[in-house]
Amino acid sequence: MLNIMTRPPLGVVRQFSRAVFADRLIGDELMRMTMARVSIDPASSSSSVVDVMSAFLHSWRMALQERPSRPVLFSDAALIDALPAPPDDARLLLLLVDVMGLTPQQAAEVVGVSENPATVLKLAREDLRIDKQARAIVVEDEPLIAADIRGILERLGVEVAGEASSAEEAVKVATRSKPDIILADYNLDGRNTGIDAVVEINESQDCPVVFITGFPDRVLQGDEIEPDFVISKPYTPENVRAAVVHCLDARRA
């Protein structure tokens, strides 16, 4: 994994907030609301990723506790009230370690886990399973990486319904196979990127996408067209498993 401690803290928070819900719009709204409530300055050179992540999660929890019984329509309280329940501490720890790249100790500090984080993480990994049938397509122009991702998915019990090495091919494969989830590289053969493919695919079907990229901050700039869920290269099987299972869980909740 890339060294997350050297990345801009707000980019890390944005990636995590989107990952929690596997949704760009909801994740960005949650980040906007929570970070407006904290006193920490994410741009300060003294603010570490762990500091900013801890402030984000604390602000979210406080907003949940303080929400009124009948929030005003279109208010931040109404947004909080409409969101699904936050994942439990074990799943948050899993996302922070296996998707975001924090160490278990750093993740435990962010979440506030007092138990041995290695034990909590082990149990969370063992609990990763897909209870319903799921179909995936893999969009990757490196054959060895595509084969590796296919193997990870198949061991999870996910059917790989197709593969593509370009954005144009990905659109055709998705139209034909109607996948439940897409795993896509950002940089592909040809002129178009993985995001170009997803934009076109989403015009006809709502399909969650896990982007796998060596440059997460290049695709997490707060622009209109961005991925919902990102993991960094070089990835591990744990990264992909956590991302896929959580993404499907979030979309089916």
Side-chain angles (χ1 to χ4, degrees), residues 112-224:
V113 171
S114 57
E115 302 168 67
N116 183 339
T119 301
V120 177
L121 188 60
K122 179 176 182 293
L123 294 174
R125 286 171 176 163
E126 290 174 352
D127 194 45
L128 282 177
R129 63 178 60 88
I130 296 174
D131 297 324
K132 299 179 181 179
Q133 285 189 326
R135 293 159 55 86
I137 64 171
V138 177
V139 184
E140 170 61 61
D141 58 1
E142 292 288 342
L144 290 178
I145 295 178
D148 184 57
I149 295 173
R150 169 187 278 272
I152 295 170
L153 290 169
E154 289 177 342
R155 288 190 292 274
L156 262 177
V158 177
E159 177 191 352
V160 178
E163 296 183 18
S165 60
S166 69
E168 293 78 9
E169 187 180 0
V171 173
K172 295 177 182 177
V173 172
T175 301
R176 181 173 67 247
S177 61
K178 299 291 190 291
D180 298 295
I181 189 168
I182 298 172
L183 284 85
D185 190 6
Y186 180 73
N187 295 315
L188 299 170
D189 283 341
R191 295 182 304 163
N192 293 331
T193 68
I195 287 186
D196 293 322
V198 170
V199 169
E200 188 168 349
I201 291 169
N202 281 342
E203 289 179 357
S204 59
Q205 57 185 302
D206 180 23
C207 180
V209 181
V210 175
F211 272 90
I212 303 175
T213 175
F215 307 97
D217 290 309
R218 291 187 183 178
V219 296
L220 288 167
Q221 298 293 328
D223 297 330
E224 182 179 355

Side-chain angles (χ1 to χ4, degrees), residues 2 30 40 52 102 106 109 116-117 128 166 168 178 182 184:
L2 299 175
L30 177 65
I40 191 171
V52 177
L102 272 68
Q106 290 167 339
E109 182 179 344
N116 183 339
L128 282 177
S166 69
E168 293 78 9
K178 299 291 190 291
I182 298 172

Side-chain angles (χ1 to χ4, degrees), residues 46-63:
S46 62
S47 298
S48 71
V49 166
V50 171
D51 292 336
V52 177
M53 291 291 291
S54 299
F56 164 77
L57 195 54
H58 176 73
S59 176
W60 184 13
R61 286 169 168 164
M62 290 300 295

Side-chain angles (χ1 to χ4, degrees), residues 9-10 12-18 20-21 26-38 40 49-63 92 96 110:
L10 279 182
V12 176
V13 172
R14 183 178 292 115
Q15 181 183 352
F16 178 65
S17 186
R18 292 176 177 188
V20 167
F21 298 107
I26 293 176
D28 286 359
E29 276 297 294
L30 177 65
M31 177 183 165
R32 175 198 60 77
M33 187 206 67
T34 53
M35 296 310 292
R37 296 162 54 99
V38 304
I40 191 171
V49 166
V50 171
D51 292 336
V52 177
M53 291 291 291
S54 299
F56 164 77
L57 195 54
H58 176 73
S59 176
W60 184 13
R61 286 169 168 164
M62 290 300 295
L92 288 173
L96 287 168
V110 170

Side-chain angles (χ1 to χ4, degrees), residues 79-98:
L79 169 66
I80 286 291
D81 196 56
L83 292 178
D88 60 25
D89 287 354
R91 178 57 66 90
L92 288 173
L93 197 75
L94 179 81
L95 289 173
L96 287 168
V97 174
D98 284 355

